[in-house]
Amino acid sequence: MFNKNIALEHLQQWNKNTIGDHLGIEYLEIGEDYIAARMPVDHRTHQPFGILHGGASVVLAETLGSLSSFLLLPDATKQQAVGLDINANHIRAVKSGWVYGKSTPIHVGRTTHVWEIRITNEENKLVCISRLTMAIINL
């Protein structure tokens, strides 16, 4: 499904000097129609009560979904994928360790893409579920 043959190391290089880099997001796997990554739950991603900040979960979700849409563009010099809408339901608190996100397509159209991003803890229990709509624009 993805149009680009890209190595995980290349994705990590794209992440340099971005919010994903600042929060410690690491790409783990690129499948035919999904991308998986992990993010640490530590001082960078905590809210004041010492648990994973919902906004950090949304950053992980939007990072995965945005990159997934980018990898579907036939020619990134002529089009760009930009976030149109995101929602997130925070299901379970996490105090430390890692959370894992995986983006999968719900809809891949000519002008919009919709992604489901499931974020789980180290025990594979659901922490957050997010839906991201991307607009595909011509440059």
Side-chain angles (χ1 to χ4, degrees):
M1 184 167 144
F2 289 137
N3 294 321
K4 297 164 180 60
N5 293 321
I6 217 150
L8 289 173
E9 298 79 30
H10 195 110
L11 295 182
Q12 214 55 55
Q13 286 299 321
W14 279 348
N15 218 25
K16 287 247 185 238
N17 299 314
T18 68
I19 191 169
D21 185 34
H22 178 71
L23 296 182
I25 294 173
E26 299 174 5
Y27 297 103
L28 301 174
E29 186 178 1
I30 304 172
E32 186 175 318
D33 67 347
Y34 70 89
I35 300 175
R38 70 180 187 167
M39 181 177 67
V41 180
D42 62 17
H43 69 281
R44 295 170 290 181
T45 56
H46 278 162
Q47 47 106 302
F49 302 110
I51 60 175
L52 178 63
H53 194 293
S57 294
V58 172
V59 168
L60 178 58
E62 187 148 358
T63 298
L64 285 168
S66 295
L67 185 56
S68 296
S69 280
F70 171 77
L71 292 178
L72 289 177
L73 297 177
D75 185 350
T77 65
K78 295 180 180 173
Q79 288 182 307
Q80 189 172 15
V82 295
L84 183 63
D85 182 64
I86 190 164
N87 73 35
N89 294 102
H90 306 290
I91 310 298
R92 175 175 282 107
V94 180
K95 291 183 178 186
S96 63
W98 294 88
V99 289
Y100 297 84
K102 183 177 180 180
S103 63
T104 55
I106 295 172
H107 165 76
V108 177
R110 187 177 51 79
T111 59
T112 60
H113 299 166
V114 181
W115 298 92
E116 175 181 87
I117 301 92
R118 295 179 64 86
I119 300 173
T120 58
N121 64 15
E122 293 177 317
E123 291 79 40
N124 203 33
K125 293 180 179 176
L126 188 62
V127 170
C128 176
I129 188 157
S130 181
R131 187 181 63 235
L132 171 66
T133 303
M134 299 294 294
I136 309 306
I137 60 172
N138 294 317
L139 300 177

